[in-house]
Amino acid sequence: MSQDTLPELPAGAFTRQDEGDDLAFYAPPRLVTHIDEAAVAALSARYRDLLPPGACILDIMSSWVSHLPADVTYGDVVCHGMNARELAANRQADRWFVQDLNRNPMLPLDHGAFDAALCCVGVQYLQHPIDVFADVRRVLRPDAPFIVSFSNRCFPTKAVAIWRALDAAGHAALIDLYLTRAGFKAITIETLVDGRRSDPLTLVIGRA
């Protein structure tokens, strides 16, 4: 991604404290959820509202769980992540693949193949977010939602500098900016869980 794509951001916005190999960092499987049970329940309920049965879904930066409601039957669910053992354990994935999006943001997927895309608590690690988001838009059908969620947890050494410098409102505005520059429309921001009794969770949703 050229810095010219986001000229309002400071130089070094997408640097990280740990610039080591990401595939090596994520090699040990972490079969844990990165948000607590209340936040997971709220996210699954919102997915139920937004994702109709039979929908073909792309879940990028996924793991051993996709947080889709267990009693809904979807179409093709394709999961991307950084650890094969985690993805193989994901019972909701029909297909999965491992790829370092910071090295190659182009998805090995057909144009217009999906009815929705998800990115749960992973956006903070992207060093080329516009390129990744633009390719997500390429594989979505017209008006399909891209649902990006974030909380207050992360691996801080792998999060980009601009993410570490912002608060929750700043994070939402940053994702809105990513979606806008990548060509998404009708962008909305939802505070799904306010964080007073559990992990906070915010959704930023753009339409292809």
Side-chain angles (χ1 to χ4, degrees):
M1 180 184 65
S2 168
Q3 184 64 32
D4 293 340
T5 307
L6 293 166
E8 57 272 80
L9 298 186
F14 296 100
T15 61
R16 304 173 299 177
Q17 293 174 346
D18 177 1
E19 293 289 4
D21 182 70
D22 287 343
L23 286 171
F25 179 85
Y26 294 107
R30 299 171 173 89
L31 300 180
V32 298
T33 56
H34 297 285
I35 48 177
D36 65 18
E37 291 183 3
V40 167
L43 182 60
S44 294
R46 193 68 181 108
Y47 283 166
R48 183 190 301 278
D49 295 336
L50 293 167
L51 307 172
C56 294
I57 298 169
L58 170 64
D59 183 10
I60 68 166
M61 309 186 80
S62 186
S63 180
W64 68 288
V65 290
S66 289
H67 307 308
L68 295 166
D71 60 340
V72 179
T73 300
Y74 295 102
D76 196 23
V77 177
V78 178
C79 293
H80 152 268
M82 294 286 281
N83 185 287
R85 286 181 60 188
E86 292 177 7
L87 292 167
N90 189 330
R91 296 181 178 181
Q92 294 182 309
D94 296 300
R95 297 183 285 139
W96 55 266
F97 64 99
V98 173
Q99 182 173 317
D100 183 350
L101 295 177
N102 288 334
R103 291 186 176 181
N104 178 12
M106 304 301 292
L107 300 166
L109 301 167
D110 292 339
H111 178 90
F114 296 94
D115 300 301
L118 319 174
C119 180
C120 177
V121 298
V123 66
Q124 62 268 23
Y125 307 118
L126 291 175
Q127 293 185 288
H128 308 287
I130 309 304
D131 293 341
V132 172
F133 279 31
D135 212 50
V136 169
R137 185 171 63 86
R138 177 186 66 81
V139 304
L140 289 175
R141 295 175 179 133
D143 201 42
F146 182 19
I147 306 167
V148 183
S149 57
F150 69 88
S151 185
N152 60 354
R153 297 193 194 185
C154 70
F155 299 117
T157 62
K158 285 297 187 180
V160 296
I162 189 65
W163 188 270
R164 299 195 312 273
L166 296 172
D167 60 10
H171 293 155
L174 184 66
I175 296 168
D176 187 327
L177 180 63
Y178 293 168
L179 289 166
T180 299
R181 294 295 166 83
F184 285 89
K185 307 296 183 183
I187 298 166
T188 59
I189 299 171
E190 303 179 15
T191 300
L192 202 60
V193 183
D194 62 20
R196 288 180 291 183
R197 296 185 179 180
S198 68
D199 288 340
L201 194 67
T202 301
L203 305 188
V204 187
I205 305 170
R207 295 277 175 173

